[in-house]
């Protein structure tokens, strides 16, 4: 689901919904086309996007407040979808979350759009802030909720710092996918990271064998 799908719509009746969805897709694809052509983010104006998508500027502004919000939606559309957590255990949910990060890392490496987009976003504080608030922060909150459930259900030691624990799970995958672009991201890496970290975080039995 993209940010556009989750964003509150204007009050009042929405007419021609199928056509609206088609227009929204055309706008996002228009931005992607410009990025593929090498247009820098700084030159990606709403007017230029409107021309490429074959719509009026007002049509874009009815859906997005400005370039920052539109650009975040473009990134979301190019990324793999957010995962559905199985809810069977903390360990299983963490594996699904890290597998999603692994797939995003692979997508970024294989997508010229995503690679260039991330590089350009970091040079634009407003767009990076919008992306962080709309994408990164909710994902981190989801991970923290999984850890809180694990703590409640006795899957973690009660003395752990959950913020630190979250970084311990996510950090290795981010290092491989962002800081070491030449490092392997093999299948099974999510399970390996989760099980390795959990080995030192599970409650210690009070009974001696």
């Amino acid at each position: 689901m993209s940010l556009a799908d989750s964003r509150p719509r204007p009050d009042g009746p929405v007419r021609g919904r199928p056509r609206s969805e088609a227009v929204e897709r055309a706008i996002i694809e228009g931005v992607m086309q410009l990025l593929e052509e090498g247009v820098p983010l700084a030159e990606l104006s709403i007017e230029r996007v409107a021309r490429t998508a074959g719509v009026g500027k007002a049509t874009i502004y009815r859906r997005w407040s400005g370039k920052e919000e539109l650009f975040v939606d473009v990134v979301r559309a190019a990324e793999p979808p957010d995962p559905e957590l199985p809810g069977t255990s903390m360990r299983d949910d963490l594996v699904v979350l890290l597998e999603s990060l692994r797939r995003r890392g692979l997508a970024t490496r294989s997508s010229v759009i995503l690679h260039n987009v991330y590089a350009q976003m970091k040079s634009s504080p407003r767009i990076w802030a919008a992306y962080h608030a709309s994408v990164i922060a909710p994902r981190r909150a989801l991970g923290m909720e999984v850890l809180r459930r694990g703590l409640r259900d006795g899957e973690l030691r009660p003395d752990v710092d959950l913020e630190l624990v979250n970084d311990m799970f996510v950090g290795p995958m981010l290092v491989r996918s962002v800081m070491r672009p030449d490092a392997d991201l093999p299948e099974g890496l999510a399970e390996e990271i989760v099980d390795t970290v959990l080995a030192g975080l599970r409650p210690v039995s009070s009974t001696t064998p």
Side-chain angles (χ1 to χ4, degrees):
M1 181 171 68
S2 74
L3 184 63
D5 296 323
S6 62
R7 191 173 57 247
R9 296 287 174 179
D11 295 334
V14 178
R15 297 171 182 163
R17 181 59 182 156
R19 183 178 178 182
S20 296
E21 290 177 346
V23 168
E24 196 163 282
R25 283 196 302 271
I27 294 167
I28 289 176
E29 288 169 4
V31 176
M32 290 183 175
Q33 177 183 330
L34 290 170
L35 291 169
E36 286 178 334
E37 292 172 356
V39 178
L41 177 57
E43 299 177 17
L44 202 66
S45 66
I46 293 296
E47 182 176 4
R48 190 166 187 175
V49 171
R51 277 201 313 271
T52 303
V55 301
K57 288 196 297 183
T59 300
I60 296 178
Y61 281 118
R62 278 197 294 270
R63 291 162 174 80
W64 294 277
S65 61
K67 184 172 72 171
E68 292 82 8
E69 190 180 17
L70 169 57
F71 203 66
V72 170
D73 250 9
V74 171
V75 178
R76 291 297 301 269
E79 289 184 339
D82 290 335
E84 290 189 15
L85 302 184
T88 50
S89 69
M90 179 190 67
R91 186 260 181 197
D92 292 345
D93 286 351
L94 288 171
V95 167
V96 170
L97 287 174
L98 289 196
E99 175 62 13
S100 175
L101 280 180
R102 187 184 76 87
R103 291 180 179 275
R104 281 188 170 87
L106 291 172
T108 303
R109 292 180 184 184
S110 63
S111 169
V112 175
I113 291 178
L114 282 175
H115 183 77
N116 291 334
V117 159
Y118 286 133
Q120 293 186 58
M121 274 199 305
K122 291 177 181 178
S123 65
S124 174
R126 289 181 62 185
I127 292 180
W128 180 250
Y131 180 76
H132 189 279
S134 301
V135 180
I136 296 177
R139 289 175 186 163
R140 183 172 181 83
L142 182 58
M144 290 296 296
E145 177 57 30
V146 169
L147 293 176
R148 280 192 287 269
R149 264 199 329 266
L151 187 63
R152 181 198 65 199
D153 296 340
E155 297 178 81
L156 285 175
R157 296 202 322 261
D159 62 327
V160 298
D161 180 335
L162 293 186
E163 290 279 353
L164 176 60
V165 169
N166 188 62
D167 291 342
M168 290 170 67
F169 281 113
V170 175
M173 192 68 78
L174 288 180
V175 166
R176 286 209 176 192
S177 59
V178 178
M179 299 178 67
R180 294 180 56 203
D182 58 332
D184 289 338
L185 291 171
E187 290 188 20
L189 179 59
E191 289 91 339
E192 184 179 356
I193 292 172
V194 170
D195 290 338
T196 299
V197 176
L198 275 182
L201 293 174
R202 287 195 177 97
V204 179
S205 174
S206 58
T207 60
T208 303

